[in-house]
Amino acid sequence: MWDDAFPSFLIGLREGLEAGLIVSILVATLVRAGAKSRLPQVWTGVLAAVALSMSFGAVLTFTAASLSATAQEAFSGTLSVIAVVFVTAMVFWMRRSARGLSGELKEKVTGALGTGAGVLIVTSFLAVGREGLETALFLWTTAQAAGESAGPLTGAGTGLVLSAGLCWGLYRRVLRINLTKFFTATGVVLIVIAAGVLGYGLRDLQEGGVLPGHTAYAVDLSGSVDAGSWYSTLVQGVFNLTPTMTWLQVVAYVGYLAVVMTLFVGGVRATNQAPKPEREKAGAAQRPEGAAEKADKGHRLRPAWVVPVAVVAVPVVIASFAVALGRPKSAAAQTIAVSETECGKGFTAPEPGRQTFQMHNTGGKTSEVYLIDPSTSAVYGEIEGLAPGTTRTLVATVAGGTYAWRCVPTGGTAVTSKALRVTGGGSAKAVVPVSEKDLAAPLREYKAYVDHGLATLVAQTRTLDDDIKGNHLGKARTDWLTAHLTYSSLGAAYGTFEDFDKKINGRADGLPDGVRDTDFAGFHRLEYGLWHGESAASLKAPADRLVASAAGLRKAFPSQDFDPSDLPLRAHEILENTLQFELTGDTDEGSGTNLATANANLAGTRELLTVLRPLLTTRAPELLPTVDADIARLQTLLDAARHGAAWTPVDRLDATARARINGATGQLLEDVAPVPDLLEIRKSA
């Protein structure tokens, strides 16, 4: 989490120290002027600044949450660029003002002592508020980049607490810090971080459709850099540098870093060479305590709590109105009927944006219901298995276009409601439906792949059987792995193989006698015997049964029911099994070849995605490059564990290598997760 926390820690420490120094100078000036009674006015201004900053953060968070995915990208990217501008200005301002800050503030405070409480409140509010707004904006930006990680909040909190301790030490004169050097060093680091934030922001603007070039990659190291490794995570979290970057990101990063860093370092040198200014004679401008007390007499009639409460309440109220106005009008009040006779009843054209609909089944049959574009049948939202008399929530993002409801009762006829036009801008992503006809060609291709694989499997198991009969157990171990990998590459068909899979690739888990159980059969039974010193005579019967099972599957497969909807599901399930069984070593019966099996599973996944590629290209073109990069990354990691014909056993992998393989498999699993939804067979009218 530290990789996500460090940028926020640095901004919290630096901005907190700036604000804390300002407050310390204000307090010290009042104390030395004998005007302690005016301290509550300083704290009131500070409280107002904190309330404003937190309210600003709330507006950013809740307003962004109400936007569509594309709009969120554009909003986040815009604010990232603004944050870079603010941080850059702050770095240069503090470098220039660090030396004269104390004298400038003392002059303002002593000038305010002869006036009413409002001037001192405004002075402290403006001095602290700017730092707070900059902090809120930068933290929001880094939090967006970190996703759901708690790192930014943890880092910022740690930095603020540490800065408060440093300010207390400086005020009490128990610490001595060269502030000029501190702000110079942190300024250099912040410029590097800001360059990454700029690149991240521009990438968001590209993905939000505001800027072009989102597929024009200048750098693509996804195939050679492990995105889940500690060093990759650290670089991405701290500097926002990713294995894949567009030309715009690279040019902006390098250009910003070159220009801003040159100006900053050059300015530091010029400042260091300039003569130190004379110390301000602050005492000459200070007014006696009596003047301050006299100026404050007219303001003591109101209760002491009124102003502090007001300065906190006003930003909160304004922020609440901003959030309310920023949210699109919700269609939550709409209750839509679902049935063969009343499909879509109660539907009125909603406002663009994220909407909530209450779907109520008024019919007598369990139904599916879809929010669709009637011209293309593209689906924006859906509910399956809506029972009669029940109500469930459907959330969907709508934009300008035409919408209708499609109700599909179980065993009944699909009904489409009257279409309504939604006016306005924005964008909404729909899924083009897939029919059994669409999956027919991929299914034929994959069945041909499996049929060819089974023919190879039969021949390889016969070779293995001959090895055992001839007592060539060394050769049998080699041929066992060859045959087992052939079978493992057919993962998408496991659900179609019926009872044959248990006979060919069954595990000892759950059997009463474990590896000694008579029902323990197939590849893993032979693996146990071959790597635990069993004789050829004891392995002959299991080998004969394996040959018979493979031949029986080859004969039965053409007539077995292969549901077309299984193809999209298997893309995810193969990898789930790999992560659960192979990468844990759970299925290792002595050969230590789990990574070889994982490699075969990956080959099966690649083949499956190949036959599905035409359908995925038209529905999610951005998905395939990501998945291809994931596959290449995992393939590279698995290849590193292969040494000729031998493989490193899972339990002998070092911790880093094992974590990388698990991480790469998990990432691939996550990225193929949308495939079943994208290619789900949906009923049409």
Short mmCIF file of all heavy atoms in Angstrom, two decimals, residues 10-11 14-15 18 83-98 130-131 134 138 179-180 182-195 256 260-261 263-265 267-268 271:
data_model
loop_
_atom_site.label_atom_id
_atom_site.label_comp_id
_atom_site.label_asym_id
_atom_site.label_seq_id
_atom_site.Cartn_x
_atom_site.Cartn_y
_atom_site.Cartn_z
N LEU A 10 3.59 12.70 0.86
CA LEU A 10 4.44 13.87 0.58
C LEU A 10 3.61 15.14 0.48
O LEU A 10 3.99 16.18 1.04
CB LEU A 10 5.21 13.63 -0.73
CG LEU A 10 6.25 14.71 -1.08
CD1 LEU A 10 7.33 14.77 -0.01
CD2 LEU A 10 6.87 14.41 -2.45
N ILE A 11 2.47 15.09 -0.20
CA ILE A 11 1.65 16.29 -0.33
C ILE A 11 1.05 16.66 1.02
O ILE A 11 0.93 17.84 1.38
CB ILE A 11 0.56 16.11 -1.41
CG1 ILE A 11 0.03 17.48 -1.86
CG2 ILE A 11 -0.59 15.28 -0.92
CD1 ILE A 11 0.98 18.27 -2.68
N ARG A 14 4.01 18.20 3.09
CA ARG A 14 4.43 19.50 2.59
C ARG A 14 3.35 20.56 2.78
O ARG A 14 3.59 21.64 3.32
CB ARG A 14 4.83 19.39 1.12
CG ARG A 14 5.35 20.70 0.57
CD ARG A 14 5.60 20.61 -0.93
NE ARG A 14 5.85 21.93 -1.46
CZ ARG A 14 7.05 22.42 -1.72
NH1 ARG A 14 8.12 21.70 -1.46
NH2 ARG A 14 7.20 23.63 -2.22
N GLU A 15 2.14 20.25 2.31
CA GLU A 15 1.05 21.23 2.45
C GLU A 15 0.69 21.44 3.91
O GLU A 15 0.36 22.55 4.34
CB GLU A 15 -0.17 20.74 1.66
CG GLU A 15 0.02 20.67 0.17
CD GLU A 15 -0.04 22.05 -0.47
OE1 GLU A 15 -1.07 22.73 -0.35
OE2 GLU A 15 0.97 22.45 -1.08
N GLU A 18 3.26 23.72 5.33
CA GLU A 18 3.04 25.10 4.90
C GLU A 18 1.93 25.74 5.71
O GLU A 18 2.08 26.85 6.25
CB GLU A 18 2.69 25.12 3.41
CG GLU A 18 3.85 24.86 2.48
CD GLU A 18 3.46 25.02 1.02
OE1 GLU A 18 2.58 25.86 0.75
OE2 GLU A 18 4.02 24.33 0.17
N ALA A 83 -4.87 19.91 -11.16
CA ALA A 83 -4.07 19.64 -9.96
C ALA A 83 -2.58 19.84 -10.25
O ALA A 83 -1.84 20.38 -9.42
CB ALA A 83 -4.32 18.21 -9.47
N VAL A 84 -2.14 19.41 -11.42
CA VAL A 84 -0.73 19.59 -11.79
C VAL A 84 -0.40 21.08 -11.86
O VAL A 84 0.67 21.52 -11.41
CB VAL A 84 -0.44 18.91 -13.14
CG1 VAL A 84 0.94 19.29 -13.66
CG2 VAL A 84 -0.53 17.39 -13.00
N VAL A 85 -1.32 21.88 -12.42
CA VAL A 85 -1.09 23.33 -12.50
C VAL A 85 -0.97 23.92 -11.10
O VAL A 85 -0.05 24.71 -10.81
CB VAL A 85 -2.24 24.01 -13.27
CG1 VAL A 85 -2.10 25.54 -13.21
CG2 VAL A 85 -2.26 23.54 -14.72
N PHE A 86 -1.87 23.55 -10.21
CA PHE A 86 -1.85 24.07 -8.83
C PHE A 86 -0.57 23.65 -8.10
O PHE A 86 0.07 24.46 -7.42
CB PHE A 86 -3.07 23.60 -8.06
CG PHE A 86 -4.31 24.39 -8.36
CD1 PHE A 86 -5.57 23.90 -8.02
CD2 PHE A 86 -4.24 25.62 -8.98
CE1 PHE A 86 -6.70 24.62 -8.28
CE2 PHE A 86 -5.38 26.36 -9.26
CZ PHE A 86 -6.62 25.86 -8.92
N VAL A 87 -0.22 22.38 -8.21
CA VAL A 87 0.96 21.89 -7.51
C VAL A 87 2.22 22.57 -8.04
O VAL A 87 3.12 22.94 -7.27
CB VAL A 87 1.07 20.35 -7.64
CG1 VAL A 87 2.42 19.86 -7.15
CG2 VAL A 87 -0.04 19.68 -6.83
N THR A 88 2.29 22.73 -9.36
CA THR A 88 3.45 23.41 -9.94
C THR A 88 3.56 24.84 -9.42
O THR A 88 4.65 25.30 -9.02
CB THR A 88 3.34 23.42 -11.48
OG1 THR A 88 3.17 22.08 -11.95
CG2 THR A 88 4.59 24.01 -12.11
N ALA A 89 2.43 25.56 -9.42
CA ALA A 89 2.43 26.94 -8.91
C ALA A 89 2.82 26.97 -7.44
O ALA A 89 3.57 27.85 -6.99
CB ALA A 89 1.06 27.57 -9.12
N MET A 90 2.32 26.00 -6.66
CA MET A 90 2.62 25.95 -5.22
C MET A 90 4.11 25.72 -4.97
O MET A 90 4.72 26.34 -4.10
CB MET A 90 1.79 24.84 -4.58
CG MET A 90 2.10 24.57 -3.11
SD MET A 90 3.30 23.21 -2.93
CE MET A 90 2.30 21.83 -3.45
N VAL A 91 4.71 24.82 -5.77
CA VAL A 91 6.13 24.52 -5.61
C VAL A 91 6.98 25.77 -5.85
O VAL A 91 7.89 26.09 -5.08
CB VAL A 91 6.54 23.38 -6.56
CG1 VAL A 91 8.05 23.27 -6.66
CG2 VAL A 91 5.96 22.05 -6.09
N PHE A 92 6.66 26.49 -6.93
CA PHE A 92 7.44 27.69 -7.25
C PHE A 92 7.17 28.81 -6.23
O PHE A 92 8.09 29.55 -5.85
CB PHE A 92 7.11 28.17 -8.67
CG PHE A 92 7.83 27.41 -9.73
CD1 PHE A 92 7.28 26.27 -10.30
CD2 PHE A 92 9.08 27.82 -10.17
CE1 PHE A 92 7.95 25.57 -11.28
CE2 PHE A 92 9.76 27.12 -11.16
CZ PHE A 92 9.20 25.99 -11.72
N TRP A 93 5.91 28.94 -5.79
CA TRP A 93 5.58 30.01 -4.83
C TRP A 93 6.32 29.79 -3.51
O TRP A 93 6.88 30.72 -2.94
CB TRP A 93 4.07 30.03 -4.58
CG TRP A 93 3.69 31.04 -3.54
CD1 TRP A 93 3.50 32.37 -3.71
CD2 TRP A 93 3.46 30.78 -2.15
NE1 TRP A 93 3.16 32.97 -2.53
CE2 TRP A 93 3.14 32.02 -1.53
CE3 TRP A 93 3.51 29.64 -1.35
CZ2 TRP A 93 2.85 32.14 -0.18
CZ3 TRP A 93 3.23 29.76 -0.01
CH2 TRP A 93 2.91 30.99 0.57
N MET A 94 6.35 28.54 -3.03
CA MET A 94 6.98 28.29 -1.75
C MET A 94 8.50 28.43 -1.85
O MET A 94 9.14 28.90 -0.91
CB MET A 94 6.62 26.89 -1.23
CG MET A 94 6.81 26.75 0.26
SD MET A 94 5.78 27.94 1.16
CE MET A 94 6.47 27.80 2.80
N ARG A 95 9.06 28.09 -3.00
CA ARG A 95 10.50 28.28 -3.17
C ARG A 95 10.86 29.77 -3.10
O ARG A 95 11.87 30.18 -2.54
CB ARG A 95 10.92 27.72 -4.53
CG ARG A 95 12.43 27.74 -4.78
CD ARG A 95 12.73 27.85 -6.26
NE ARG A 95 12.33 29.15 -6.76
CZ ARG A 95 12.16 29.45 -8.04
NH1 ARG A 95 12.33 28.52 -8.95
NH2 ARG A 95 11.81 30.66 -8.43
N ARG A 96 9.97 30.59 -3.67
CA ARG A 96 10.22 32.02 -3.72
C ARG A 96 9.90 32.73 -2.41
O ARG A 96 10.55 33.70 -2.03
CB ARG A 96 9.40 32.64 -4.85
CG ARG A 96 9.64 34.12 -5.09
CD ARG A 96 8.83 34.63 -6.28
NE ARG A 96 7.41 34.45 -6.10
CZ ARG A 96 6.66 33.55 -6.72
NH1 ARG A 96 7.21 32.72 -7.58
NH2 ARG A 96 5.36 33.45 -6.50
N SER A 97 8.88 32.21 -1.69
CA SER A 97 8.35 32.94 -0.54
C SER A 97 8.81 32.43 0.81
O SER A 97 8.48 33.02 1.84
CB SER A 97 6.81 32.90 -0.58
OG SER A 97 6.33 33.39 -1.81
N ALA A 98 9.54 31.29 0.85
CA ALA A 98 9.86 30.66 2.13
C ALA A 98 10.58 31.62 3.06
O ALA A 98 10.29 31.68 4.26
CB ALA A 98 10.71 29.41 1.90
N ARG A 130 -5.97 28.15 0.89
CA ARG A 130 -5.34 27.81 -0.38
C ARG A 130 -4.62 26.48 -0.29
O ARG A 130 -4.71 25.63 -1.19
CB ARG A 130 -4.34 28.90 -0.78
CG ARG A 130 -3.83 28.73 -2.21
CD ARG A 130 -2.65 29.61 -2.48
NE ARG A 130 -1.49 29.16 -1.71
CZ ARG A 130 -0.26 29.63 -1.90
NH1 ARG A 130 -0.06 30.59 -2.76
NH2 ARG A 130 0.75 29.17 -1.17
N GLU A 131 -3.91 26.26 0.81
CA GLU A 131 -3.22 24.98 0.98
C GLU A 131 -4.22 23.83 1.05
O GLU A 131 -3.99 22.76 0.49
CB GLU A 131 -2.37 25.00 2.26
CG GLU A 131 -1.57 26.27 2.51
CD GLU A 131 -0.58 26.56 1.41
OE1 GLU A 131 -0.16 25.60 0.75
OE2 GLU A 131 -0.24 27.73 1.21
N GLU A 134 -5.70 23.01 -2.46
CA GLU A 134 -4.69 22.31 -3.25
C GLU A 134 -4.55 20.86 -2.79
O GLU A 134 -4.46 19.93 -3.59
CB GLU A 134 -3.34 23.02 -3.15
CG GLU A 134 -3.28 24.35 -3.87
CD GLU A 134 -1.96 25.06 -3.65
OE1 GLU A 134 -1.17 24.57 -2.80
OE2 GLU A 134 -1.72 26.09 -4.29
N PHE A 138 -5.37 17.51 -5.08
CA PHE A 138 -4.30 16.58 -5.38
C PHE A 138 -4.59 15.20 -4.79
O PHE A 138 -4.36 14.17 -5.44
CB PHE A 138 -2.97 17.11 -4.84
CG PHE A 138 -1.77 16.39 -5.41
CD1 PHE A 138 -1.24 16.77 -6.63
CD2 PHE A 138 -1.18 15.34 -4.74
CE1 PHE A 138 -0.14 16.12 -7.16
CE2 PHE A 138 -0.08 14.68 -5.25
CZ PHE A 138 0.44 15.07 -6.47
N LEU A 179 14.10 25.22 6.37
CA LEU A 179 12.88 25.14 5.57
C LEU A 179 13.15 25.36 4.09
O LEU A 179 12.46 24.78 3.23
CB LEU A 179 11.86 26.16 6.08
CG LEU A 179 11.35 25.90 7.50
CD1 LEU A 179 10.40 27.00 7.93
CD2 LEU A 179 10.65 24.55 7.57
N THR A 180 14.12 26.20 3.76
CA THR A 180 14.43 26.43 2.35
C THR A 180 14.89 25.14 1.68
O THR A 180 14.42 24.78 0.59
CB THR A 180 15.52 27.51 2.21
OG1 THR A 180 15.06 28.72 2.80
CG2 THR A 180 15.84 27.75 0.74
N PHE A 182 14.28 22.11 2.82
CA PHE A 182 13.17 21.15 2.88
C PHE A 182 12.22 21.35 1.70
O PHE A 182 11.86 20.41 1.00
CB PHE A 182 12.41 21.31 4.19
CG PHE A 182 11.15 20.49 4.26
CD1 PHE A 182 11.19 19.15 4.60
CD2 PHE A 182 9.92 21.06 3.96
CE1 PHE A 182 10.03 18.39 4.64
CE2 PHE A 182 8.75 20.32 4.01
CZ PHE A 182 8.82 18.98 4.36
N PHE A 183 11.79 22.59 1.48
CA PHE A 183 10.85 22.86 0.41
C PHE A 183 11.48 22.69 -0.97
O PHE A 183 10.80 22.36 -1.94
CB PHE A 183 10.25 24.26 0.56
CG PHE A 183 9.25 24.36 1.68
CD1 PHE A 183 9.46 25.19 2.76
CD2 PHE A 183 8.10 23.59 1.66
CE1 PHE A 183 8.54 25.27 3.79
CE2 PHE A 183 7.17 23.66 2.69
CZ PHE A 183 7.39 24.50 3.77
N THR A 184 12.78 22.88 -1.07
CA THR A 184 13.46 22.63 -2.34
C THR A 184 13.49 21.14 -2.66
O THR A 184 13.16 20.72 -3.78
CB THR A 184 14.90 23.17 -2.29
OG1 THR A 184 14.87 24.59 -2.09
CG2 THR A 184 15.63 22.87 -3.59
N ALA A 185 13.87 20.32 -1.68
CA ALA A 185 13.95 18.87 -1.90
C ALA A 185 12.59 18.27 -2.20
O ALA A 185 12.43 17.50 -3.16
CB ALA A 185 14.56 18.19 -0.67
N THR A 186 11.58 18.64 -1.39
CA THR A 186 10.23 18.10 -1.65
C THR A 186 9.67 18.65 -2.95
O THR A 186 8.87 17.98 -3.62
CB THR A 186 9.29 18.43 -0.48
OG1 THR A 186 9.28 19.86 -0.27
CG2 THR A 186 9.72 17.73 0.79
N GLY A 187 10.07 19.85 -3.33
CA GLY A 187 9.62 20.41 -4.60
C GLY A 187 10.10 19.59 -5.78
O GLY A 187 9.35 19.33 -6.73
N VAL A 188 11.36 19.15 -5.72
CA VAL A 188 11.90 18.32 -6.80
C VAL A 188 11.12 17.01 -6.93
O VAL A 188 10.74 16.59 -8.03
CB VAL A 188 13.40 18.02 -6.54
CG1 VAL A 188 13.91 16.95 -7.51
CG2 VAL A 188 14.22 19.29 -6.69
N VAL A 189 10.85 16.36 -5.78
CA VAL A 189 10.11 15.10 -5.81
C VAL A 189 8.68 15.31 -6.31
O VAL A 189 8.15 14.53 -7.11
CB VAL A 189 10.10 14.45 -4.42
CG1 VAL A 189 9.30 13.14 -4.45
CG2 VAL A 189 11.51 14.18 -3.94
N LEU A 190 8.04 16.41 -5.86
CA LEU A 190 6.67 16.68 -6.28
C LEU A 190 6.58 16.97 -7.78
O LEU A 190 5.58 16.63 -8.42
CB LEU A 190 6.10 17.87 -5.50
CG LEU A 190 5.46 17.52 -4.15
CD1 LEU A 190 4.95 18.78 -3.48
CD2 LEU A 190 4.31 16.53 -4.34
N ILE A 191 7.60 17.58 -8.34
CA ILE A 191 7.59 17.83 -9.79
C ILE A 191 7.60 16.50 -10.55
O ILE A 191 6.88 16.33 -11.54
CB ILE A 191 8.79 18.71 -10.18
CG1 ILE A 191 8.58 20.15 -9.68
CG2 ILE A 191 8.99 18.71 -11.70
CD1 ILE A 191 9.79 21.04 -9.85
N VAL A 192 8.39 15.54 -10.07
CA VAL A 192 8.42 14.22 -10.71
C VAL A 192 7.05 13.53 -10.58
O VAL A 192 6.52 12.96 -11.54
CB VAL A 192 9.52 13.34 -10.09
CG1 VAL A 192 9.49 11.94 -10.69
CG2 VAL A 192 10.88 13.98 -10.30
N ILE A 193 6.46 13.61 -9.39
CA ILE A 193 5.15 13.00 -9.18
C ILE A 193 4.09 13.70 -10.03
O ILE A 193 3.22 13.06 -10.64
CB ILE A 193 4.76 13.06 -7.69
CG1 ILE A 193 5.69 12.13 -6.88
CG2 ILE A 193 3.31 12.67 -7.49
CD1 ILE A 193 5.48 12.22 -5.39
N ALA A 194 4.16 15.03 -10.11
CA ALA A 194 3.19 15.79 -10.90
C ALA A 194 3.28 15.43 -12.37
O ALA A 194 2.27 15.41 -13.08
CB ALA A 194 3.41 17.28 -10.70
N ALA A 195 4.49 15.12 -12.87
CA ALA A 195 4.64 14.70 -14.26
C ALA A 195 3.85 13.41 -14.51
O ALA A 195 3.19 13.26 -15.54
CB ALA A 195 6.12 14.48 -14.59
N TYR A 256 7.06 18.10 -19.62
CA TYR A 256 6.80 18.77 -18.35
C TYR A 256 8.02 18.66 -17.43
O TYR A 256 8.46 19.65 -16.83
CB TYR A 256 5.58 18.15 -17.68
CG TYR A 256 5.33 18.64 -16.26
CD1 TYR A 256 4.54 19.75 -16.03
CD2 TYR A 256 5.90 18.00 -15.17
CE1 TYR A 256 4.32 20.22 -14.73
CE2 TYR A 256 5.69 18.44 -13.88
CZ TYR A 256 4.89 19.55 -13.67
OH TYR A 256 4.68 20.01 -12.38
N VAL A 260 9.82 22.15 -16.42
CA VAL A 260 9.56 22.59 -15.05
C VAL A 260 10.77 22.34 -14.15
O VAL A 260 11.13 23.20 -13.33
CB VAL A 260 8.30 21.89 -14.50
CG1 VAL A 260 8.07 22.26 -13.04
CG2 VAL A 260 7.09 22.28 -15.32
N MET A 261 11.40 21.19 -14.29
CA MET A 261 12.55 20.90 -13.43
C MET A 261 13.70 21.87 -13.72
O MET A 261 14.39 22.33 -12.79
CB MET A 261 13.01 19.46 -13.62
CG MET A 261 14.04 19.00 -12.61
SD MET A 261 13.36 18.88 -10.93
CE MET A 261 12.46 17.33 -11.07
N LEU A 263 13.47 25.00 -14.85
CA LEU A 263 13.12 26.30 -14.28
C LEU A 263 13.23 26.29 -12.77
O LEU A 263 13.71 27.25 -12.16
CB LEU A 263 11.70 26.69 -14.70
CG LEU A 263 11.50 26.98 -16.19
CD1 LEU A 263 10.02 27.21 -16.49
CD2 LEU A 263 12.32 28.18 -16.62
N PHE A 264 12.80 25.20 -12.14
CA PHE A 264 12.83 25.13 -10.68
C PHE A 264 14.26 25.11 -10.15
O PHE A 264 14.62 25.87 -9.26
CB PHE A 264 12.07 23.89 -10.21
CG PHE A 264 12.00 23.76 -8.71
CD1 PHE A 264 11.08 24.49 -7.99
CD2 PHE A 264 12.85 22.91 -8.02
CE1 PHE A 264 11.00 24.38 -6.61
CE2 PHE A 264 12.79 22.78 -6.64
CZ PHE A 264 11.85 23.54 -5.94
N VAL A 265 15.08 24.24 -10.71
CA VAL A 265 16.47 24.14 -10.26
C VAL A 265 17.22 25.43 -10.54
O VAL A 265 18.00 25.92 -9.71
CB VAL A 265 17.17 22.94 -10.93
CG1 VAL A 265 18.65 22.92 -10.59
CG2 VAL A 265 16.51 21.63 -10.49
N GLY A 267 15.92 28.42 -10.67
CA GLY A 267 15.44 29.42 -9.72
C GLY A 267 16.03 29.23 -8.34
O GLY A 267 16.31 30.20 -7.63
N VAL A 268 16.24 27.97 -7.95
CA VAL A 268 16.85 27.69 -6.64
C VAL A 268 18.27 28.24 -6.59
O VAL A 268 18.68 28.86 -5.61
CB VAL A 268 16.84 26.18 -6.35
CG1 VAL A 268 17.70 25.85 -5.15
CG2 VAL A 268 15.41 25.70 -6.14
N THR A 271 18.21 32.00 -6.27
CA THR A 271 17.81 32.42 -4.94
C THR A 271 18.95 32.26 -3.95
O THR A 271 19.18 33.11 -3.09
CB THR A 271 16.60 31.58 -4.47
OG1 THR A 271 15.53 31.77 -5.39
CG2 THR A 271 16.14 32.02 -3.08
#
